[in-house]
Short mmCIF file of all heavy atoms in Angstrom, two decimals:
data_model
loop_
_atom_site.label_atom_id
_atom_site.label_comp_id
_atom_site.label_asym_id
_atom_site.label_seq_id
_atom_site.Cartn_x
_atom_site.Cartn_y
_atom_site.Cartn_z
N ILE A 22 11.15 30.80 25.94
CA ILE A 22 11.31 30.53 27.41
C ILE A 22 10.81 29.08 27.72
O ILE A 22 11.46 28.38 28.44
CB ILE A 22 10.46 31.57 28.18
CG1 ILE A 22 11.01 33.01 27.96
CG2 ILE A 22 10.52 31.27 29.75
CD1 ILE A 22 10.08 34.07 28.58
N SER A 36 18.12 27.34 37.55
CA SER A 36 17.44 28.10 36.53
C SER A 36 17.13 29.47 36.99
O SER A 36 16.37 29.72 38.02
CB SER A 36 16.15 27.40 36.17
OG SER A 36 15.46 28.22 35.17
N PHE A 37 17.62 30.50 36.16
CA PHE A 37 17.22 31.92 36.40
C PHE A 37 16.28 32.25 35.17
O PHE A 37 16.10 33.40 34.84
CB PHE A 37 18.40 32.87 36.37
CG PHE A 37 19.37 32.56 37.55
CD1 PHE A 37 20.77 32.59 37.36
CD2 PHE A 37 18.95 32.22 38.79
CE1 PHE A 37 21.65 32.33 38.30
CE2 PHE A 37 19.77 32.00 39.83
CZ PHE A 37 21.16 32.01 39.61
N ALA A 38 15.84 31.18 34.46
CA ALA A 38 15.11 31.44 33.19
C ALA A 38 13.67 31.71 33.33
O ALA A 38 13.12 32.54 32.69
CB ALA A 38 15.38 30.26 32.20
N GLY A 39 12.98 30.83 34.06
CA GLY A 39 11.49 30.81 34.06
C GLY A 39 10.95 32.10 34.77
O GLY A 39 11.52 32.66 35.67
N GLY A 40 9.71 32.48 34.29
CA GLY A 40 8.95 33.59 34.86
C GLY A 40 7.94 33.02 35.89
O GLY A 40 6.84 33.53 35.94
N LEU A 41 8.37 31.97 36.69
CA LEU A 41 7.54 31.31 37.50
C LEU A 41 7.60 31.92 38.97
O LEU A 41 8.57 32.20 39.42
CB LEU A 41 7.84 29.82 37.56
CG LEU A 41 7.77 29.04 36.26
CD1 LEU A 41 9.25 28.76 35.87
CD2 LEU A 41 6.99 27.84 36.53
N PRO A 42 6.45 32.22 39.58
CA PRO A 42 6.48 32.61 41.00
C PRO A 42 7.06 31.49 41.87
O PRO A 42 7.06 30.29 41.52
CB PRO A 42 5.02 32.80 41.40
CG PRO A 42 4.30 32.86 40.09
CD PRO A 42 5.01 32.03 39.09
N SER A 43 7.61 31.87 43.01
CA SER A 43 8.10 30.80 43.96
C SER A 43 6.95 29.93 44.47
O SER A 43 6.05 30.56 45.04
CB SER A 43 8.89 31.49 45.08
OG SER A 43 9.17 30.57 46.03
N PRO A 44 7.07 28.63 44.40
CA PRO A 44 5.95 27.82 45.05
C PRO A 44 5.98 27.99 46.63
O PRO A 44 4.92 27.65 47.13
CB PRO A 44 6.47 26.46 44.70
CG PRO A 44 7.87 26.44 44.27
CD PRO A 44 8.17 27.89 43.85
N THR A 46 5.38 30.58 47.90
CA THR A 46 4.38 31.61 48.21
C THR A 46 2.90 31.05 48.01
O THR A 46 1.97 31.79 48.39
CB THR A 46 4.58 32.82 47.27
OG1 THR A 46 4.21 32.40 45.89
CG2 THR A 46 6.00 33.31 47.39
N PHE A 47 2.71 29.90 47.56
CA PHE A 47 1.40 29.42 47.31
C PHE A 47 0.70 29.08 48.65
O PHE A 47 1.19 28.29 49.43
CB PHE A 47 1.40 28.10 46.43
CG PHE A 47 2.04 28.34 45.01
CD1 PHE A 47 2.48 27.22 44.29
CD2 PHE A 47 2.24 29.58 44.54
CE1 PHE A 47 3.14 27.36 43.11
CE2 PHE A 47 2.88 29.77 43.25
CZ PHE A 47 3.28 28.67 42.55
N TYR A 127 7.16 42.09 26.60
CA TYR A 127 6.77 40.67 27.10
C TYR A 127 6.58 39.72 25.89
O TYR A 127 5.83 40.03 25.03
CB TYR A 127 5.49 40.78 27.90
CG TYR A 127 4.89 39.44 28.32
CD1 TYR A 127 5.70 38.42 28.82
CD2 TYR A 127 3.59 39.23 28.15
CE1 TYR A 127 5.12 37.27 29.21
CE2 TYR A 127 2.96 38.00 28.40
CZ TYR A 127 3.78 37.01 29.00
OH TYR A 127 3.18 35.75 29.43
N ASN A 171 4.84 48.60 35.53
CA ASN A 171 5.39 48.20 36.95
C ASN A 171 6.30 46.95 36.79
O ASN A 171 5.83 45.95 36.36
CB ASN A 171 4.25 47.84 37.75
CG ASN A 171 3.39 49.03 38.08
OD1 ASN A 171 3.94 50.26 38.12
ND2 ASN A 171 2.11 48.91 38.33
N PHE A 172 7.59 47.13 37.12
CA PHE A 172 8.49 45.95 37.24
C PHE A 172 8.44 45.08 35.99
O PHE A 172 8.22 43.94 36.04
CB PHE A 172 8.20 45.18 38.55
CG PHE A 172 7.89 46.06 39.68
CD1 PHE A 172 6.66 45.87 40.39
CD2 PHE A 172 8.58 47.09 40.09
CE1 PHE A 172 6.32 46.60 41.40
CE2 PHE A 172 8.21 47.90 41.17
CZ PHE A 172 7.08 47.70 41.93
N GLN A 173 8.68 45.74 34.83
CA GLN A 173 8.34 45.19 33.54
C GLN A 173 9.02 43.88 33.31
O GLN A 173 10.18 43.57 33.79
CB GLN A 173 8.85 46.21 32.45
CG GLN A 173 8.27 45.85 31.08
CD GLN A 173 9.30 45.92 30.04
OE1 GLN A 173 10.53 45.57 30.29
NE2 GLN A 173 9.08 46.29 28.91
N ASN A 174 8.33 42.94 32.64
CA ASN A 174 8.83 41.79 32.14
C ASN A 174 9.28 41.98 30.67
O ASN A 174 8.39 42.35 29.84
CB ASN A 174 7.85 40.72 32.20
CG ASN A 174 8.33 39.33 31.75
OD1 ASN A 174 9.46 39.12 31.28
ND2 ASN A 174 7.51 38.31 31.80
N PRO A 175 10.58 42.07 30.39
CA PRO A 175 11.69 41.39 31.04
C PRO A 175 12.55 42.24 31.89
O PRO A 175 13.46 41.68 32.53
CB PRO A 175 12.44 40.84 29.82
CG PRO A 175 12.32 41.91 28.79
CD PRO A 175 10.97 42.39 28.95
N THR A 176 12.59 43.62 31.74
CA THR A 176 13.61 44.40 32.22
C THR A 176 13.60 44.63 33.75
O THR A 176 14.55 45.05 34.37
CB THR A 176 13.65 45.77 31.53
OG1 THR A 176 12.44 46.44 31.84
CG2 THR A 176 13.80 45.57 30.05
N GLY A 177 12.40 44.56 34.39
CA GLY A 177 12.24 44.84 35.74
C GLY A 177 12.05 46.34 36.04
O GLY A 177 11.91 46.84 37.16
N ARG A 178 12.14 47.18 34.98
CA ARG A 178 12.04 48.62 35.20
C ARG A 178 10.71 49.11 35.57
O ARG A 178 9.71 48.39 35.20
CB ARG A 178 12.55 49.42 33.93
CG ARG A 178 11.49 49.33 32.81
CD ARG A 178 12.13 49.96 31.52
NE ARG A 178 11.34 49.59 30.30
CZ ARG A 178 11.72 49.39 29.20
NH1 ARG A 178 13.03 49.43 28.88
NH2 ARG A 178 10.92 49.11 28.12
N THR A 179 10.59 50.24 36.23
CA THR A 179 9.26 50.86 36.61
C THR A 179 9.25 52.31 36.08
O THR A 179 10.19 53.08 36.21
CB THR A 179 9.22 50.85 38.16
OG1 THR A 179 9.18 49.46 38.60
CG2 THR A 179 7.76 51.54 38.55
N ASN A 203 -0.51 44.67 34.07
CA ASN A 203 0.07 44.92 35.46
C ASN A 203 0.11 43.65 36.25
O ASN A 203 -0.71 43.59 37.31
CB ASN A 203 -0.67 46.04 36.09
CG ASN A 203 -0.08 46.41 37.40
OD1 ASN A 203 1.12 46.20 37.71
ND2 ASN A 203 -0.84 46.83 38.47
N PRO A 204 0.74 42.53 35.82
CA PRO A 204 0.75 41.36 36.67
C PRO A 204 1.64 41.36 37.97
O PRO A 204 1.50 40.57 38.81
CB PRO A 204 1.29 40.28 35.76
CG PRO A 204 2.14 41.06 34.81
CD PRO A 204 1.52 42.36 34.64
N TYR A 205 2.57 42.39 37.99
CA TYR A 205 3.57 42.45 39.06
C TYR A 205 3.36 43.60 39.98
O TYR A 205 4.21 43.73 40.95
CB TYR A 205 4.97 42.53 38.40
CG TYR A 205 5.20 41.48 37.31
CD1 TYR A 205 5.21 41.91 36.00
CD2 TYR A 205 5.42 40.18 37.74
CE1 TYR A 205 5.36 40.93 35.01
CE2 TYR A 205 5.66 39.20 36.72
CZ TYR A 205 5.69 39.62 35.35
OH TYR A 205 5.82 38.62 34.37
N GLY A 206 2.39 44.45 39.87
CA GLY A 206 2.35 45.66 40.56
C GLY A 206 2.30 45.61 42.00
O GLY A 206 2.71 46.48 42.76
N ASP A 207 1.68 44.42 42.59
CA ASP A 207 1.66 44.31 43.99
C ASP A 207 3.00 43.85 44.65
O ASP A 207 3.17 43.77 45.90
CB ASP A 207 0.65 43.26 44.44
CG ASP A 207 -0.84 43.85 44.17
OD1 ASP A 207 -1.04 45.02 44.39
OD2 ASP A 207 -1.74 43.03 43.76
N LEU A 208 3.98 43.49 43.80
CA LEU A 208 5.24 42.89 44.26
C LEU A 208 6.32 43.95 44.43
O LEU A 208 7.50 43.71 44.07
CB LEU A 208 5.70 41.74 43.33
CG LEU A 208 4.64 40.64 43.06
CD1 LEU A 208 5.26 39.65 42.09
CD2 LEU A 208 4.19 40.04 44.39
N TRP A 209 6.03 45.08 44.98
CA TRP A 209 6.87 46.14 45.32
C TRP A 209 7.74 45.79 46.61
O TRP A 209 7.25 45.05 47.53
CB TRP A 209 6.30 47.42 45.39
CG TRP A 209 5.06 47.52 46.27
CD1 TRP A 209 3.73 47.30 45.92
CD2 TRP A 209 5.06 47.91 47.63
NE1 TRP A 209 2.93 47.51 47.02
CE2 TRP A 209 3.72 47.77 48.11
CE3 TRP A 209 6.09 48.11 48.59
CZ2 TRP A 209 3.36 47.99 49.38
CZ3 TRP A 209 5.69 48.36 49.88
CH2 TRP A 209 4.33 48.31 50.35
N PHE A 210 8.93 46.29 46.71
CA PHE A 210 9.83 45.96 47.80
C PHE A 210 9.94 47.03 48.85
O PHE A 210 9.68 46.79 50.04
CB PHE A 210 11.23 45.65 47.30
CG PHE A 210 11.33 44.43 46.35
CD1 PHE A 210 12.30 44.49 45.35
CD2 PHE A 210 10.45 43.43 46.42
CE1 PHE A 210 12.32 43.30 44.49
CE2 PHE A 210 10.39 42.33 45.62
CZ PHE A 210 11.42 42.33 44.61
N SER A 231 -3.82 39.95 37.22
CA SER A 231 -3.71 38.54 37.31
C SER A 231 -3.71 38.10 38.74
O SER A 231 -3.25 38.78 39.59
CB SER A 231 -2.45 38.06 36.53
OG SER A 231 -2.29 36.63 36.84
N PHE A 232 -4.21 36.94 39.01
CA PHE A 232 -4.07 36.24 40.36
C PHE A 232 -2.80 35.31 40.35
O PHE A 232 -2.58 34.76 41.43
CB PHE A 232 -5.29 35.49 40.72
CG PHE A 232 -6.45 36.37 40.83
CD1 PHE A 232 -7.50 36.51 39.85
CD2 PHE A 232 -6.68 37.13 42.01
CE1 PHE A 232 -8.50 37.30 39.99
CE2 PHE A 232 -7.81 37.96 42.10
CZ PHE A 232 -8.79 38.02 41.16
N SER A 233 -2.14 35.12 39.24
CA SER A 233 -1.02 34.19 39.18
C SER A 233 0.13 34.55 40.11
O SER A 233 0.76 33.65 40.72
CB SER A 233 -0.54 34.07 37.85
OG SER A 233 -1.49 33.52 36.92
N LYS A 234 0.48 35.85 40.24
CA LYS A 234 1.67 36.23 41.09
C LYS A 234 1.31 36.42 42.53
O LYS A 234 2.36 36.44 43.25
CB LYS A 234 2.25 37.51 40.46
CG LYS A 234 2.44 37.45 38.92
CD LYS A 234 3.34 36.31 38.38
CE LYS A 234 3.69 36.25 37.04
NZ LYS A 234 2.50 36.12 36.05
N VAL A 235 0.06 36.64 42.87
CA VAL A 235 -0.20 36.94 44.30
C VAL A 235 -0.85 35.68 45.01
O VAL A 235 -0.94 35.61 46.14
CB VAL A 235 -1.02 38.16 44.45
CG1 VAL A 235 -0.32 39.34 44.06
CG2 VAL A 235 -2.36 38.01 43.74
N LEU A 236 -1.39 34.71 44.15
CA LEU A 236 -2.04 33.55 44.75
C LEU A 236 -1.34 32.29 44.15
O LEU A 236 -0.44 31.70 44.82
CB LEU A 236 -3.49 33.44 44.51
CG LEU A 236 -4.32 34.46 45.39
CD1 LEU A 236 -5.74 34.50 44.95
CD2 LEU A 236 -4.15 34.17 46.86
N PRO A 238 -0.29 30.55 39.96
CA PRO A 238 -0.58 30.52 38.44
C PRO A 238 -1.34 29.30 37.99
O PRO A 238 -2.01 29.52 36.90
CB PRO A 238 0.87 30.48 37.94
CG PRO A 238 1.70 29.83 39.02
CD PRO A 238 1.09 30.32 40.31
N ILE A 290 5.35 37.68 50.35
CA ILE A 290 5.89 37.43 49.04
C ILE A 290 6.97 38.55 48.85
O ILE A 290 8.08 38.25 48.36
CB ILE A 290 4.94 37.44 47.94
CG1 ILE A 290 3.70 36.38 48.15
CG2 ILE A 290 5.52 37.20 46.57
CD1 ILE A 290 2.60 36.48 47.19
N ARG A 291 6.63 39.76 49.11
CA ARG A 291 7.54 40.88 48.91
C ARG A 291 8.86 40.66 49.71
O ARG A 291 9.91 40.89 49.24
CB ARG A 291 6.86 42.18 49.25
CG ARG A 291 5.73 42.68 48.61
CD ARG A 291 5.15 43.97 49.06
NE ARG A 291 3.92 44.23 48.48
CZ ARG A 291 2.95 44.77 49.14
NH1 ARG A 291 2.88 44.88 50.41
NH2 ARG A 291 1.73 44.94 48.52
N LEU A 293 10.22 37.83 50.72
CA LEU A 293 10.97 36.73 50.14
C LEU A 293 11.62 37.26 48.87
O LEU A 293 12.91 36.92 48.78
CB LEU A 293 10.05 35.59 49.87
CG LEU A 293 10.74 34.32 49.13
CD1 LEU A 293 11.76 33.71 50.00
CD2 LEU A 293 9.58 33.35 48.68
N TYR A 294 10.99 37.85 48.02
CA TYR A 294 11.55 38.23 46.80
C TYR A 294 12.55 39.30 46.86
O TYR A 294 13.62 39.34 46.17
CB TYR A 294 10.44 38.70 45.82
CG TYR A 294 9.51 37.67 45.16
CD1 TYR A 294 9.72 36.28 45.57
CD2 TYR A 294 8.50 37.87 44.34
CE1 TYR A 294 8.77 35.34 45.10
CE2 TYR A 294 7.62 36.97 43.82
CZ TYR A 294 7.84 35.64 44.29
OH TYR A 294 6.95 34.72 43.70
N LYS A 295 12.36 40.22 47.79
CA LYS A 295 13.42 41.34 48.05
C LYS A 295 14.68 40.63 48.51
O LYS A 295 15.78 41.01 48.06
CB LYS A 295 12.92 42.30 49.08
CG LYS A 295 13.90 43.36 49.33
CD LYS A 295 13.44 44.40 50.39
CE LYS A 295 14.48 45.57 50.58
NZ LYS A 295 14.04 46.54 51.57
N GLN A 297 15.80 37.67 47.92
CA GLN A 297 16.46 36.98 46.74
C GLN A 297 17.04 37.98 45.74
O GLN A 297 18.04 37.75 45.16
CB GLN A 297 15.36 36.10 46.11
CG GLN A 297 15.07 34.93 47.01
CD GLN A 297 13.80 34.08 46.58
OE1 GLN A 297 12.70 34.70 46.39
NE2 GLN A 297 13.94 32.91 46.27
N ARG A 298 16.36 39.04 45.50
CA ARG A 298 16.88 40.18 44.73
C ARG A 298 18.21 40.65 45.22
O ARG A 298 19.21 40.80 44.41
CB ARG A 298 15.90 41.27 44.52
CG ARG A 298 16.43 42.49 43.64
CD ARG A 298 15.84 43.85 44.01
NE ARG A 298 16.15 44.32 45.32
CZ ARG A 298 15.92 45.36 45.91
NH1 ARG A 298 15.28 46.35 45.16
NH2 ARG A 298 16.28 45.75 47.13
N ASP A 299 18.17 40.87 46.52
CA ASP A 299 19.40 41.42 47.17
C ASP A 299 20.53 40.42 47.10
O ASP A 299 21.74 40.78 46.78
CB ASP A 299 19.18 41.78 48.56
CG ASP A 299 18.26 42.96 48.81
OD1 ASP A 299 18.02 43.76 47.74
OD2 ASP A 299 17.77 43.16 49.86
N MET A 301 21.02 38.20 44.67
CA MET A 301 21.46 38.26 43.25
C MET A 301 22.29 39.52 42.92
O MET A 301 23.34 39.39 42.30
CB MET A 301 20.28 38.09 42.34
CG MET A 301 20.71 38.01 40.75
SD MET A 301 19.47 37.53 39.66
CE MET A 301 19.34 35.79 40.03
N ASN A 316 20.61 46.26 36.13
CA ASN A 316 19.81 47.22 36.89
C ASN A 316 19.46 46.68 38.26
O ASN A 316 19.72 45.53 38.58
CB ASN A 316 18.61 47.58 35.95
CG ASN A 316 17.68 46.38 35.89
OD1 ASN A 316 17.91 45.28 36.11
ND2 ASN A 316 16.48 46.68 35.31
N THR A 317 18.73 47.58 38.98
CA THR A 317 18.22 47.19 40.34
C THR A 317 16.71 47.40 40.32
O THR A 317 16.24 48.56 40.48
CB THR A 317 18.88 48.11 41.49
OG1 THR A 317 20.36 47.88 41.45
CG2 THR A 317 18.34 47.69 42.81
N PRO A 318 15.95 46.30 40.12
CA PRO A 318 14.53 46.42 40.11
C PRO A 318 13.98 46.72 41.41
O PRO A 318 14.46 46.27 42.50
CB PRO A 318 14.08 45.04 39.56
CG PRO A 318 15.13 44.14 39.95
CD PRO A 318 16.44 44.93 39.76
N ASP A 319 12.97 47.57 41.45
CA ASP A 319 12.26 48.05 42.71
C ASP A 319 11.17 47.02 43.16
O ASP A 319 10.48 47.30 44.15
CB ASP A 319 11.70 49.33 42.58
CG ASP A 319 12.69 50.42 42.44
OD1 ASP A 319 13.86 50.33 42.97
OD2 ASP A 319 12.52 51.35 41.56
N GLY A 320 10.94 45.95 42.39
CA GLY A 320 9.90 45.04 42.61
C GLY A 320 9.87 43.92 41.62
O GLY A 320 10.73 43.90 40.72
N GLY A 321 8.91 43.07 41.66
CA GLY A 321 8.65 42.11 40.60
C GLY A 321 9.47 40.87 40.72
O GLY A 321 9.96 40.49 41.80
N MET A 322 9.95 40.35 39.57
CA MET A 322 10.59 39.02 39.55
C MET A 322 11.82 38.96 38.70
O MET A 322 12.58 37.89 38.72
CB MET A 322 9.61 37.98 39.08
CG MET A 322 8.35 37.79 39.92
SD MET A 322 7.04 36.83 39.09
CE MET A 322 7.82 35.34 38.58
N PHE A 323 12.19 40.04 38.07
CA PHE A 323 13.29 40.02 37.02
C PHE A 323 14.28 41.16 37.10
O PHE A 323 13.98 42.15 37.59
CB PHE A 323 12.64 40.09 35.59
CG PHE A 323 11.52 39.09 35.40
CD1 PHE A 323 10.20 39.39 35.28
CD2 PHE A 323 11.84 37.72 35.21
CE1 PHE A 323 9.23 38.55 35.10
CE2 PHE A 323 10.85 36.83 35.05
CZ PHE A 323 9.52 37.18 35.00
N LEU A 324 15.51 40.75 36.69
CA LEU A 324 16.66 41.59 36.62
C LEU A 324 17.10 41.56 35.19
O LEU A 324 17.14 40.52 34.53
CB LEU A 324 17.61 41.22 37.52
CG LEU A 324 18.92 41.97 37.81
CD1 LEU A 324 19.39 41.83 39.27
CD2 LEU A 324 19.99 41.48 36.87
N TRP A 325 17.53 42.69 34.62
CA TRP A 325 18.01 42.81 33.21
C TRP A 325 19.51 43.05 33.21
O TRP A 325 19.95 43.92 33.88
CB TRP A 325 17.22 43.88 32.58
CG TRP A 325 17.38 43.99 31.06
CD1 TRP A 325 17.86 45.00 30.41
CD2 TRP A 325 16.87 43.16 30.03
NE1 TRP A 325 17.81 44.87 29.02
CE2 TRP A 325 17.08 43.72 28.77
CE3 TRP A 325 16.19 41.86 30.07
CZ2 TRP A 325 16.84 42.98 27.52
CZ3 TRP A 325 15.93 41.29 28.87
CH2 TRP A 325 16.17 41.82 27.69
N ARG A 365 17.83 38.05 30.57
CA ARG A 365 16.89 38.24 31.62
C ARG A 365 17.21 37.17 32.68
O ARG A 365 17.47 35.97 32.47
CB ARG A 365 15.39 38.04 31.19
CG ARG A 365 14.43 38.47 32.30
CD ARG A 365 13.01 37.98 31.89
NE ARG A 365 12.83 36.56 32.10
CZ ARG A 365 11.63 35.90 31.95
NH1 ARG A 365 10.61 36.56 31.60
NH2 ARG A 365 11.58 34.56 32.09
N LEU A 366 17.31 37.67 33.99
CA LEU A 366 17.60 36.74 35.13
C LEU A 366 16.35 36.89 36.13
O LEU A 366 15.95 37.96 36.49
CB LEU A 366 18.82 37.21 35.79
CG LEU A 366 20.08 37.09 34.99
CD1 LEU A 366 21.26 37.71 35.78
CD2 LEU A 366 20.44 35.73 34.56
N SER A 367 15.80 35.72 36.38
CA SER A 367 14.66 35.69 37.33
C SER A 367 15.30 35.30 38.73
O SER A 367 16.08 34.27 38.81
CB SER A 367 13.56 34.65 37.07
OG SER A 367 12.64 34.51 38.00
N PHE A 368 14.98 36.04 39.78
CA PHE A 368 15.59 35.74 41.09
C PHE A 368 14.64 35.13 42.07
O PHE A 368 15.03 34.99 43.26
CB PHE A 368 16.18 37.03 41.60
CG PHE A 368 15.25 38.26 41.63
CD1 PHE A 368 14.21 38.38 42.57
CD2 PHE A 368 15.33 39.24 40.64
CE1 PHE A 368 13.40 39.47 42.60
CE2 PHE A 368 14.52 40.32 40.61
CZ PHE A 368 13.53 40.39 41.54
N VAL A 369 13.48 34.75 41.67
CA VAL A 369 12.44 34.44 42.71
C VAL A 369 12.26 32.81 42.99
O VAL A 369 11.75 32.45 43.96
CB VAL A 369 11.10 34.94 42.39
CG1 VAL A 369 11.15 36.50 42.27
CG2 VAL A 369 10.46 34.36 41.10
N THR A 370 12.78 31.99 42.13
CA THR A 370 12.58 30.60 42.38
C THR A 370 13.85 29.88 42.86
O THR A 370 13.76 28.74 43.28
CB THR A 370 12.12 29.87 40.99
OG1 THR A 370 13.03 30.14 39.97
CG2 THR A 370 10.72 30.23 40.68
N ALA A 371 14.98 30.57 42.72
CA ALA A 371 16.21 29.97 43.33
C ALA A 371 16.42 30.48 44.75
O ALA A 371 16.12 31.55 45.12
CB ALA A 371 17.38 30.43 42.40
N ILE A 376 21.45 30.92 44.07
CA ILE A 376 21.74 32.16 43.48
C ILE A 376 23.26 32.40 43.46
O ILE A 376 23.96 32.82 42.46
CB ILE A 376 21.05 33.38 44.12
CG1 ILE A 376 19.52 33.34 43.77
CG2 ILE A 376 21.64 34.73 43.65
CD1 ILE A 376 18.66 34.32 44.48
#
Side-chain angles (χ1 to χ4, degrees):
I22 299 171
S36 178
F37 302 138
L41 302 107
S43 171
T46 67
F47 300 162
Y127 172 49
N171 297 328
F172 322 126
Q173 194 230 29
N174 182 358
T176 64
R178 70 186 171 215
T179 298
N203 186 28
Y205 310 104
D207 290 325
L208 304 181
W209 49 269
F210 297 151
S231 174
F232 294 102
S233 293
K234 308 305 185 294
V235 296
L236 286 176
I290 305 176
R291 295 179 190 136
L293 175 65
Y294 288 1
K295 181 181 179 181
Q297 291 167 300
R298 178 209 63 175
D299 291 346
M301 183 168 283
N316 63 349
T317 299
D319 295 323
M322 299 166 52
F323 306 109
L324 182 151
W325 191 243
R365 189 192 76 175
L366 300 173
S367 173
F368 48 80
V369 302
T370 53
I376 287 171

